[in-house]
Amino acid sequence: MGAIITAAKRAGNALLDMFFPRRCVYCGAVNSPGRYDFVCADCERDIYIIKGGRCLRCSEIIGTNEAPNSAFCPKCAKNPPAFNWSMACCVFSGPARELALGLKYRNSPHLAADVAKIMAETPGLGEFLKDSVLIPVPLHFARKMKRGYNQSEIIADAAKRAFPRAGMTISNALRRIKRTDTQTHLTREERAENIRGAFEAQKGKTSKIPKGAHIVIVDDVMTSGATMSECAKILKEEGFKNVDAFAFARKM
């Protein structure tokens, strides 16, 4: 039965490729074979999956993949984030950057299929997320209405697909109450100030989460960690202590 289902899926995908061809998000190649649906075999080598050389606290890249991880980087030693630990799948560059931007700005939630595949290839991520409550970073309601979805929720859903036996649940336990300016060109200090006071807990949802639960805040891209740190601060004020962070991609 499994072989029949697999064959049917392949036939269906072939028909879709004929009438609605897939294009590589990075080079534009049409229906190119490879591990991913929307990144061709030639471009997939440009996805830098993080395997080592990072700060375990904020996921800052501090060395090559062959280098050991560090419990703290100089930035965290000076100004640690409110979350305890963090992970990111890949560096925000090349095809991974295009996947993240497609999810966020180009109305392309279907790219989450490749996001889930990259998650599944990230060493240690399944264990990091095991039995956790995933809390996506919320969008302001006006921005969500305009975009039609919250990309952080899609990232959380992709994590559940990547690790179906990891026992994760998803809760929209936070609400964004302040429509912030884009953080793209802000400094680390300006990002923290811009996002301050932007979130609040949804009491009806946080009350249903055990205080001892492993909470993981989920976002698409981490730059300074200011947004997820602000979310973690709100959750810790609600009595949660085991609060970590996860982003699909990490900016250098």
Side-chain angles (χ1 to χ4, degrees), residues 104 135-137 150-152 155 176 217-222 227-228 246-249:
K104 192 166 187 174
I135 299 183
V137 172
N150 178 358
Q151 72 278 358
S152 296
I155 297 288
R176 189 182 289 251
I217 301 160
V218 178
D219 208 356
D220 53 346
V221 180
M222 183 192 297
T227 297
M228 289 194 281
F246 164 68
F248 166 63

Side-chain angles (χ1 to χ4, degrees), residues 73-242:
C73 67
K75 293 177 183 176
C76 288
K78 181 179 179 180
N79 186 24
F83 51 80
N84 300 339
W85 309 104
S86 72
M87 279 195 75
C89 292
C90 51
V91 172
F92 184 72
S93 65
R97 178 180 183 274
E98 296 308 309
L99 288 172
L101 292 178
L103 278 177
K104 192 166 187 174
Y105 298 120
R106 299 169 188 158
N107 193 30
S108 301
H110 57 275
L111 298 179
D114 282 351
V115 169
K117 290 179 182 180
I118 293 171
M119 288 180 183
E121 296 169 7
T122 304
L125 182 59
E127 187 63 29
F128 181 79
L129 298 176
K130 186 177 181 180
D131 297 325
S132 63
V133 179
L134 306 181
I135 299 183
V137 172
L139 286 179
H140 189 270
F141 77 91
R143 187 161 289 164
K144 187 173 182 179
M145 285 182 63
K146 182 178 180 180
R147 190 170 296 169
Y149 59 86
N150 178 358
Q151 72 278 358
S152 296
E153 292 177 7
I154 289 177
I155 297 288
D157 285 333
K160 291 191 67 174
R161 292 202 305 275
F163 306 105
R165 296 184 178 87
M168 289 175 273
T169 59
I170 300 175
S171 174
N172 290 305
L174 292 174
R175 178 190 295 115
R176 189 182 289 251
I177 56 176
K178 174 184 171 185
R179 187 170 184 177
T180 53
D181 296 328
T182 180
Q183 305 246 91
T184 305
H185 302 295
L186 301 181
T187 66
R188 185 183 182 92
E189 292 74 20
E190 289 170 340
R191 285 171 180 268
E193 182 60 33
N194 183 52
I195 206 71
R196 186 171 290 117
F199 306 102
E200 69 176 10
Q202 299 208 63
K203 305 287 187 178
K205 295 183 178 181
T206 55
S207 64
K208 296 178 181 178
I209 304 173
K211 296 302 182 190
H214 177 207
I215 305 293
V216 179
I217 301 160
V218 178
D219 208 356
D220 53 346
V221 180
M222 183 192 297
T223 302
S224 67
T227 297
M228 289 194 281
S229 183
E230 183 70 14
C231 289
K233 184 179 76 172
I234 299 300
L235 291 167
K236 288 193 171 183
E237 289 172 354
E238 291 296 306
F240 300 103
K241 295 181 179 180
N242 190 12

